[in-house]
Amino acid sequence: MHQQEEIPFLRQLLDAAIRQDVIIISYETNGKTSNRSIQPIGIYANEGKWYCPSYCFLRKDYRVFRCDRIKSVERDKNTDPINLSNINLKNRFSILNDNQETFELYVELTNKGVEKYQSVNFPNIVLNKRENGSGFLEGKISKHDINFFSDYFITYGKDAIIKKPFELIKCMKEKLNKILNQYN
């Protein structure tokens, strides 16, 4: 069971998605806060965290924002909304990945790794189970999600072995080396 913290702006994010309003959020990531105009597509929960896929006017592309990192929300009266009526929570990833560099993902999983992954559902990633209970993940991930997936697969310990992409393996090694260096 994942602990759920209080997320103060879920209602405003959902209302903005329903009305196709543009909002200004104050967003904190890696200790830095930035203000950006976004147009939310919706909100969803995954592994105890809330996410808000949106069109980001700063990046001129689709991004997924973690709702607990949103520190303030206000209506943006100066930015015209774009037509997002063809985008919903189910098809958003095919649209997101159309505009982004993607990598082929392949991860070997032990029996425990398969059990752990079964409670997760990442779009564009398929779990293939073997008769012995082990398995592997195949799919596509965005270049922007390398950091997220390295943090995610670190939680698997020895129960996941990333075979590709190289960029994810490199990111994992850097993070694990930083952790090791903390104990030197």
Side-chain angles (χ1 to χ4, degrees):
M1 188 73 175
H2 296 282
Q3 192 164 0
Q4 184 60 52
E5 62 216 78
E6 184 67 28
I7 308 296
F9 302 108
L10 284 181
R11 165 62 59 201
Q12 290 98 313
L13 295 169
L14 186 58
D15 287 346
I18 291 167
R19 292 193 307 261
Q20 291 197 8
D21 284 343
V22 178
I23 57 176
I24 300 170
I25 61 169
S26 177
Y27 191 70
E28 188 178 300
T29 183
N30 298 327
K32 296 179 185 144
T33 303
S34 64
N35 290 326
R36 44 177 85 195
S37 292
I38 66 168
Q39 187 174 336
I41 295 166
I43 56 172
Y44 69 95
N46 192 14
E47 293 226 314
K49 298 283 185 202
W50 285 96
Y51 297 89
C52 181
S54 305
Y55 182 81
C56 176
F57 289 89
L58 176 68
R59 299 283 179 233
K60 300 200 180 341
D61 200 358
Y62 296 92
R63 294 284 191 268
V64 178
F65 297 95
R66 243 181 60 190
C67 296
D68 60 314
R69 294 181 176 167
I70 296 174
K71 302 305 175 194
S72 69
V73 172
E74 64 181 84
R75 190 134 189 270
D76 184 344
K77 296 181 176 98
N78 300 321
T79 305
D80 292 327
I82 59 172
N83 183 2
L84 297 179
S85 59
N86 62 326
I87 301 175
N88 57 51
L89 289 176
K90 285 196 188 322
N91 73 5
R92 74 190 184 280
F93 282 97
S94 58
I95 289 154
L96 302 191
N97 290 337
D98 283 348
N99 298 331
Q100 297 176 3
E101 189 178 342
T102 59
F103 298 112
E104 291 292 324
L105 176 75
Y106 184 89
V107 180
E108 282 288 336
L109 298 175
T110 64
N111 298 31
K112 277 186 177 175
V114 168
E115 281 179 40
K116 181 172 172 134
Y117 189 80
Q118 285 179 328
S119 67
V120 180
N121 185 13
F122 290 118
N124 298 337
I125 299 174
V126 177
L127 170 62
N128 300 283
K129 290 190 251 182
R130 297 186 182 101
E131 284 186 30
N132 68 2
S134 71
F136 60 96
L137 300 173
E138 280 185 308
K140 289 187 183 293
I141 61 171
S142 165
K143 178 182 179 181
H144 298 291
D145 293 332
I146 292 289
N147 197 40
F148 169 81
F149 279 108
S150 65
D151 285 342
Y152 176 74
F153 283 118
I154 280 175
T155 68
Y156 279 69
K158 296 184 296 185
D159 295 314
I161 300 170
I162 298 164
K163 299 292 189 177
K164 61 181 179 178
F166 168 77
E167 292 80 0
L168 180 56
I169 296 167
K170 182 179 170 213
C171 188
M172 287 282 286
K173 285 179 177 179
E174 288 169 3
K175 286 184 182 199
L176 291 169
N177 277 326
K178 281 182 186 174
I179 293 168
L180 277 173
N181 289 332
Q182 285 177 219
Y183 295 99
N184 284 343

